[in-house]
Amino acid sequence: MGRPRTALLDKERITTTALGLVDRHGDFSVPRMAKLLGVQTASVYHHVDGRAGVIELLRERVASAIDAGTLALRPWDAAMAAWARSYRAAFAAHPRAIPLLTASPVRAPQVLIQYEHAAGLLQAAGFPLERIVAVIAGLEAIVLGSALDLAAPETMWEVPADGSTPRFAEALAAGGSGRADAAFELALEAFMEHCRRLLEHGGWRMAAGDGDRGDGVGDRG
Amino acid sequence: MGRPRTALLDKERITTTALGLVDRHGDFSVPRMAKLLGVQTASVYHHVDGRAGVIELLRERVASAIDAGTLALRPWDAAMAAWARSYRAAFAAHPRAIPLLTASPVRAPQVLIQYEHAAGLLQAAGFPLERIVAVIAGLEAIVLGSALDLAAPETMWEVPADGSTPRFAEALAAGGSGRADAAFELALEAFMEHCRRLLEHGGWRMAAGDGDRGDGVGDRG
DNA sequence: ACCTGAACACCGTTCAAGT
DNA sequence: ACCTGAACACCGTTCAAGT
């Protein structure tokens, strides 16, 4: 029983099967994928660079839902904010995959091109060249950090039953159900507003605590 | 060869060994730990709730380096910023552990007590009760998201050699070496300033785009 | 080129047997 | 209570053999 006339497997089907397993069970294994695909475990290795390769495919698949068109919006802050929301929404669609995906970054060309667009956008908007990576990386940190909150929603903010954290419990109860979304929007809004201000006021060179209004926050060293 | 007069193992030694393996090799396994500890694999299970239990111990160990004293600082924004920096520094000390640790949150009482202190701090500062969790969660997202950047520093921002991302490459070169730190500081500064402003101006109820100054950024729906 | 069957080293976990 | 030795099911990966 050797090579079939037409290939039984392809990366598409492999990726879909793996993502289905992750969505349902929080993880995948090559043998389980093979069983679902009706194939021997070893067959998968003819199409994919092992387990790590499957994870990379998952990363690309999930990231493909990011709407690159957002970066064509103007002005630049509308573009970056919409991009960040789309980025996070792509991860939010597969919360159980998030721990698998955040361990290492997306290297797919389609995503690197988005970085390129973002860099061009920020450069055109007037950001100093040496700050552009920090802006992109900061925004991405907010996106990924907020995404982690979606991965374990129940346990993330489980409050001890012994009443040892009354004020936190109170705040948690008052916060309502959309906590993760609210935190993301708060951080995103803060980030965009800060960048807008720095751009307008040319404040990039300002030393800490020079008194414009309450900038000196603490141990900056 | 049964039970020894004095126990060979304890959680301390197990945790230290696991963390050493993670620091050196990026991962650990129960058999490898046992070998280093000079003990049978099964022995570890008498002290720890399996592999998941070891990970929880790692979480606690790493989190124990967070300086809870920062939350006693005043004013509230100095406290929160110092806490965030200490939080991130604790993770930064073990970058290869970060993917293991961010998959699920810290449930150790010592850390939950820090949430409690933060909640009290923000309440006393005058934050509306229903926004306090969003402030804490937003700050934590920035901390954890920035920490992920430390886990894979080389590959995180590897630029394709084919010249397909010239502006991004340019920005990367101009950004210098402390990229991850700069991004974290930028996001943290933005977050603290935004919270300060909202507190002072009572802006929490403001609808998006009501014109204060360019707040309406995009697809908020 | 692609699938199979068998093999290998390794893993997490359990458990009866010892003290 | 704690350590051992043996066992079990499962995993990732490789490879020669087939077409």
Side-chain angles (χ1 to χ4, degrees), chain B residues 107-128:
Chain B
R107 311 234 277 132
Q110 54 176 284
V111 176
L112 291 177
I113 281 168
Q114 294 179 20
Y115 290 156
E116 172 68 7
H117 286 161
L121 185 71
L122 295 172
Q123 210 169 331
F127 281 86

PDB file of all heavy atoms in Angstrom, chain B residues 107-128:
ATOM      1  N   ARG B 107      -2.013  31.870  40.899  1.00  0.00           N
ATOM      2  CA  ARG B 107      -3.097  31.733  41.880  1.00  0.00           C
ATOM      3  C   ARG B 107      -2.550  31.714  43.300  1.00  0.00           C
ATOM      4  O   ARG B 107      -3.306  31.515  44.251  1.00  0.00           O
ATOM      5  CB  ARG B 107      -3.863  30.426  41.625  1.00  0.00           C
ATOM      6  CG  ARG B 107      -4.262  30.235  40.172  1.00  0.00           C
ATOM      7  CD  ARG B 107      -5.734  29.973  40.006  1.00  0.00           C
ATOM      8  NE  ARG B 107      -6.105  28.597  40.206  1.00  0.00           N
ATOM      9  CZ  ARG B 107      -7.125  28.218  40.975  1.00  0.00           C
ATOM     10  NH1 ARG B 107      -7.829  29.111  41.641  1.00  0.00           N
ATOM     11  NH2 ARG B 107      -7.438  26.968  41.092  1.00  0.00           N
ATOM     12  N   ALA B 108      -1.274  31.929  43.443  1.00  0.00           N
ATOM     13  CA  ALA B 108      -0.675  31.904  44.769  1.00  0.00           C
ATOM     14  C   ALA B 108      -1.257  33.022  45.630  1.00  0.00           C
ATOM     15  O   ALA B 108      -1.434  34.147  45.165  1.00  0.00           O
ATOM     16  CB  ALA B 108       0.830  32.057  44.662  1.00  0.00           C
ATOM     17  N   PRO B 109      -1.572  32.707  46.885  1.00  0.00           N
ATOM     18  CA  PRO B 109      -2.175  33.681  47.800  1.00  0.00           C
ATOM     19  C   PRO B 109      -1.379  34.974  47.878  1.00  0.00           C
ATOM     20  O   PRO B 109      -1.951  36.062  47.900  1.00  0.00           O
ATOM     21  CB  PRO B 109      -2.161  32.959  49.152  1.00  0.00           C
ATOM     22  CG  PRO B 109      -2.110  31.510  48.823  1.00  0.00           C
ATOM     23  CD  PRO B 109      -1.377  31.391  47.514  1.00  0.00           C
ATOM     24  N   GLN B 110      -0.057  34.839  47.892  1.00  0.00           N
ATOM     25  CA  GLN B 110       0.798  36.032  47.993  1.00  0.00           C
ATOM     26  C   GLN B 110       0.551  37.009  46.845  1.00  0.00           C
ATOM     27  O   GLN B 110       0.685  38.216  47.007  1.00  0.00           O
ATOM     28  CB  GLN B 110       2.261  35.608  47.987  1.00  0.00           C
ATOM     29  CG  GLN B 110       2.598  34.745  46.793  1.00  0.00           C
ATOM     30  CD  GLN B 110       4.084  34.371  46.702  1.00  0.00           C
ATOM     31  OE1 GLN B 110       4.904  35.178  46.322  1.00  0.00           O
ATOM     32  NE2 GLN B 110       4.383  33.157  47.074  1.00  0.00           N
ATOM     33  N   VAL B 111       0.192  36.471  45.660  1.00  0.00           N
ATOM     34  CA  VAL B 111      -0.052  37.346  44.513  1.00  0.00           C
ATOM     35  C   VAL B 111      -1.481  37.895  44.553  1.00  0.00           C
ATOM     36  O   VAL B 111      -1.727  39.052  44.226  1.00  0.00           O
ATOM     37  CB  VAL B 111       0.216  36.602  43.195  1.00  0.00           C
ATOM     38  CG1 VAL B 111      -0.135  37.473  42.004  1.00  0.00           C
ATOM     39  CG2 VAL B 111       1.680  36.186  43.125  1.00  0.00           C
ATOM     40  N   LEU B 112      -2.420  37.048  44.980  1.00  0.00           N
ATOM     41  CA  LEU B 112      -3.806  37.516  45.106  1.00  0.00           C
ATOM     42  C   LEU B 112      -3.893  38.659  46.109  1.00  0.00           C
ATOM     43  O   LEU B 112      -4.677  39.590  45.953  1.00  0.00           O
ATOM     44  CB  LEU B 112      -4.722  36.355  45.523  1.00  0.00           C
ATOM     45  CG  LEU B 112      -4.894  35.287  44.431  1.00  0.00           C
ATOM     46  CD1 LEU B 112      -5.754  34.130  44.929  1.00  0.00           C
ATOM     47  CD2 LEU B 112      -5.505  35.892  43.175  1.00  0.00           C
ATOM     48  N   ILE B 113      -3.065  38.589  47.136  1.00  0.00           N
ATOM     49  CA  ILE B 113      -3.035  39.669  48.124  1.00  0.00           C
ATOM     50  C   ILE B 113      -2.540  40.966  47.485  1.00  0.00           C
ATOM     51  O   ILE B 113      -2.979  42.062  47.850  1.00  0.00           O
ATOM     52  CB  ILE B 113      -2.143  39.270  49.324  1.00  0.00           C
ATOM     53  CG1 ILE B 113      -2.932  38.328  50.237  1.00  0.00           C
ATOM     54  CG2 ILE B 113      -1.682  40.492  50.100  1.00  0.00           C
ATOM     55  CD1 ILE B 113      -2.088  37.656  51.288  1.00  0.00           C
ATOM     56  N   GLN B 114      -1.676  40.837  46.491  1.00  0.00           N
ATOM     57  CA  GLN B 114      -1.217  42.039  45.789  1.00  0.00           C
ATOM     58  C   GLN B 114      -2.364  42.665  44.988  1.00  0.00           C
ATOM     59  O   GLN B 114      -2.482  43.887  44.916  1.00  0.00           O
ATOM     60  CB  GLN B 114      -0.023  41.704  44.895  1.00  0.00           C
ATOM     61  CG  GLN B 114       1.191  41.294  45.717  1.00  0.00           C
ATOM     62  CD  GLN B 114       2.393  40.926  44.865  1.00  0.00           C
ATOM     63  OE1 GLN B 114       2.485  41.309  43.701  1.00  0.00           O
ATOM     64  NE2 GLN B 114       3.323  40.191  45.446  1.00  0.00           N
ATOM     65  N   TYR B 115      -3.207  41.811  44.388  1.00  0.00           N
ATOM     66  CA  TYR B 115      -4.399  42.340  43.710  1.00  0.00           C
ATOM     67  C   TYR B 115      -5.270  43.093  44.710  1.00  0.00           C
ATOM     68  O   TYR B 115      -5.821  44.141  44.411  1.00  0.00           O
ATOM     69  CB  TYR B 115      -5.226  41.203  43.088  1.00  0.00           C
ATOM     70  CG  TYR B 115      -4.590  40.525  41.906  1.00  0.00           C
ATOM     71  CD1 TYR B 115      -4.945  39.229  41.551  1.00  0.00           C
ATOM     72  CD2 TYR B 115      -3.647  41.173  41.118  1.00  0.00           C
ATOM     73  CE1 TYR B 115      -4.370  38.591  40.464  1.00  0.00           C
ATOM     74  CE2 TYR B 115      -3.066  40.542  40.038  1.00  0.00           C
ATOM     75  CZ  TYR B 115      -3.433  39.254  39.710  1.00  0.00           C
ATOM     76  OH  TYR B 115      -2.870  38.632  38.634  1.00  0.00           O
ATOM     77  N   GLU B 116      -5.403  42.507  45.888  1.00  0.00           N
ATOM     78  CA  GLU B 116      -6.221  43.124  46.926  1.00  0.00           C
ATOM     79  C   GLU B 116      -5.667  44.509  47.293  1.00  0.00           C
ATOM     80  O   GLU B 116      -6.409  45.482  47.381  1.00  0.00           O
ATOM     81  CB  GLU B 116      -6.257  42.215  48.160  1.00  0.00           C
ATOM     82  CG  GLU B 116      -6.920  42.814  49.396  1.00  0.00           C
ATOM     83  CD  GLU B 116      -8.414  43.025  49.232  1.00  0.00           C
ATOM     84  OE1 GLU B 116      -8.955  42.584  48.201  1.00  0.00           O
ATOM     85  OE2 GLU B 116      -9.024  43.642  50.123  1.00  0.00           O
ATOM     86  N   HIS B 117      -4.374  44.593  47.470  1.00  0.00           N
ATOM     87  CA  HIS B 117      -3.751  45.877  47.795  1.00  0.00           C
ATOM     88  C   HIS B 117      -3.958  46.880  46.662  1.00  0.00           C
ATOM     89  O   HIS B 117      -4.272  48.048  46.896  1.00  0.00           O
ATOM     90  CB  HIS B 117      -2.253  45.711  48.060  1.00  0.00           C
ATOM     91  CG  HIS B 117      -1.956  45.079  49.370  1.00  0.00           C
ATOM     92  ND1 HIS B 117      -0.743  44.496  49.674  1.00  0.00           N
ATOM     93  CD2 HIS B 117      -2.723  44.927  50.478  1.00  0.00           C
ATOM     94  CE1 HIS B 117      -0.771  44.014  50.900  1.00  0.00           C
ATOM     95  NE2 HIS B 117      -1.965  44.251  51.408  1.00  0.00           N
ATOM     96  N   ALA B 118      -3.775  46.414  45.430  1.00  0.00           N
ATOM     97  CA  ALA B 118      -3.956  47.302  44.281  1.00  0.00           C
ATOM     98  C   ALA B 118      -5.390  47.809  44.222  1.00  0.00           C
ATOM     99  O   ALA B 118      -5.627  48.992  43.974  1.00  0.00           O
ATOM    100  CB  ALA B 118      -3.590  46.572  42.999  1.00  0.00           C
ATOM    101  N   ALA B 119      -6.343  46.902  44.468  1.00  0.00           N
ATOM    102  CA  ALA B 119      -7.758  47.309  44.439  1.00  0.00           C
ATOM    103  C   ALA B 119      -8.037  48.369  45.506  1.00  0.00           C
ATOM    104  O   ALA B 119      -8.719  49.362  45.246  1.00  0.00           O
ATOM    105  CB  ALA B 119      -8.663  46.088  44.643  1.00  0.00           C
ATOM    106  N   GLY B 120      -7.485  48.180  46.701  1.00  0.00           N
ATOM    107  CA  GLY B 120      -7.677  49.147  47.771  1.00  0.00           C
ATOM    108  C   GLY B 120      -7.050  50.489  47.429  1.00  0.00           C
ATOM    109  O   GLY B 120      -7.646  51.555  47.642  1.00  0.00           O
ATOM    110  N   LEU B 121      -5.873  50.425  46.872  1.00  0.00           N
ATOM    111  CA  LEU B 121      -5.135  51.617  46.468  1.00  0.00           C
ATOM    112  C   LEU B 121      -5.945  52.447  45.467  1.00  0.00           C
ATOM    113  O   LEU B 121      -6.091  53.667  45.608  1.00  0.00           O
ATOM    114  CB  LEU B 121      -3.833  51.160  45.819  1.00  0.00           C
ATOM    115  CG  LEU B 121      -2.779  52.161  45.398  1.00  0.00           C
ATOM    116  CD1 LEU B 121      -2.119  52.738  46.630  1.00  0.00           C
ATOM    117  CD2 LEU B 121      -1.730  51.472  44.519  1.00  0.00           C
ATOM    118  N   LEU B 122      -6.475  51.768  44.462  1.00  0.00           N
ATOM    119  CA  LEU B 122      -7.215  52.468  43.407  1.00  0.00           C
ATOM    120  C   LEU B 122      -8.541  53.001  43.929  1.00  0.00           C
ATOM    121  O   LEU B 122      -8.980  54.086  43.543  1.00  0.00           O
ATOM    122  CB  LEU B 122      -7.445  51.517  42.223  1.00  0.00           C
ATOM    123  CG  LEU B 122      -6.166  51.062  41.508  1.00  0.00           C
ATOM    124  CD1 LEU B 122      -6.468  49.984  40.473  1.00  0.00           C
ATOM    125  CD2 LEU B 122      -5.470  52.243  40.843  1.00  0.00           C
ATOM    126  N   GLN B 123      -9.159  52.238  44.820  1.00  0.00           N
ATOM    127  CA  GLN B 123     -10.418  52.680  45.415  1.00  0.00           C
ATOM    128  C   GLN B 123     -10.184  53.960  46.222  1.00  0.00           C
ATOM    129  O   GLN B 123     -10.915  54.935  46.090  1.00  0.00           O
ATOM    130  CB  GLN B 123     -10.966  51.564  46.310  1.00  0.00           C
ATOM    131  CG  GLN B 123     -12.484  51.543  46.415  1.00  0.00           C
ATOM    132  CD  GLN B 123     -12.981  50.265  47.093  1.00  0.00           C
ATOM    133  OE1 GLN B 123     -12.336  49.232  47.011  1.00  0.00           O
ATOM    134  NE2 GLN B 123     -14.119  50.358  47.768  1.00  0.00           N
ATOM    135  N   ALA B 124      -9.134  53.949  47.015  1.00  0.00           N
ATOM    136  CA  ALA B 124      -8.813  55.119  47.836  1.00  0.00           C
ATOM    137  C   ALA B 124      -8.455  56.324  46.972  1.00  0.00           C
ATOM    138  O   ALA B 124      -8.715  57.475  47.339  1.00  0.00           O
ATOM    139  CB  ALA B 124      -7.664  54.790  48.789  1.00  0.00           C
ATOM    140  N   ALA B 125      -7.869  56.049  45.812  1.00  0.00           N
ATOM    141  CA  ALA B 125      -7.469  57.147  44.928  1.00  0.00           C
ATOM    142  C   ALA B 125      -8.681  57.782  44.255  1.00  0.00           C
ATOM    143  O   ALA B 125      -8.579  58.870  43.688  1.00  0.00           O
ATOM    144  CB  ALA B 125      -6.498  56.645  43.879  1.00  0.00           C
ATOM    145  N   GLY B 126      -9.815  57.092  44.310  1.00  0.00           N
ATOM    146  CA  GLY B 126     -11.028  57.662  43.756  1.00  0.00           C
ATOM    147  C   GLY B 126     -11.499  57.036  42.454  1.00  0.00           C
ATOM    148  O   GLY B 126     -12.420  57.555  41.815  1.00  0.00           O
ATOM    149  N   PHE B 127     -10.916  55.908  42.083  1.00  0.00           N
ATOM    150  CA  PHE B 127     -11.378  55.241  40.867  1.00  0.00           C
ATOM    151  C   PHE B 127     -12.779  54.652  41.090  1.00  0.00           C
ATOM    152  O   PHE B 127     -13.047  54.122  42.164  1.00  0.00           O
ATOM    153  CB  PHE B 127     -10.411  54.118  40.470  1.00  0.00           C
ATOM    154  CG  PHE B 127      -9.180  54.613  39.773  1.00  0.00           C
ATOM    155  CD1 PHE B 127      -8.076  55.033  40.497  1.00  0.00           C
ATOM    156  CD2 PHE B 127      -9.126  54.672  38.388  1.00  0.00           C
ATOM    157  CE1 PHE B 127      -6.945  55.500  39.852  1.00  0.00           C
ATOM    158  CE2 PHE B 127      -7.997  55.137  37.739  1.00  0.00           C
ATOM    159  CZ  PHE B 127      -6.905  55.555  38.477  1.00  0.00           C
ATOM    160  N   PRO B 128     -13.631  54.773  40.078  1.00  0.00           N
ATOM    161  CA  PRO B 128     -14.951  54.150  40.189  1.00  0.00           C
ATOM    162  C   PRO B 128     -14.799  52.641  40.362  1.00  0.00           C
ATOM    163  O   PRO B 128     -14.000  52.024  39.652  1.00  0.00           O
ATOM    164  CB  PRO B 128     -15.625  54.458  38.849  1.00  0.00           C
ATOM    165  CG  PRO B 128     -14.765  55.436  38.146  1.00  0.00           C
ATOM    166  CD  PRO B 128     -13.424  55.438  38.780  1.00  0.00           C
TER     167      PRO B 128
END
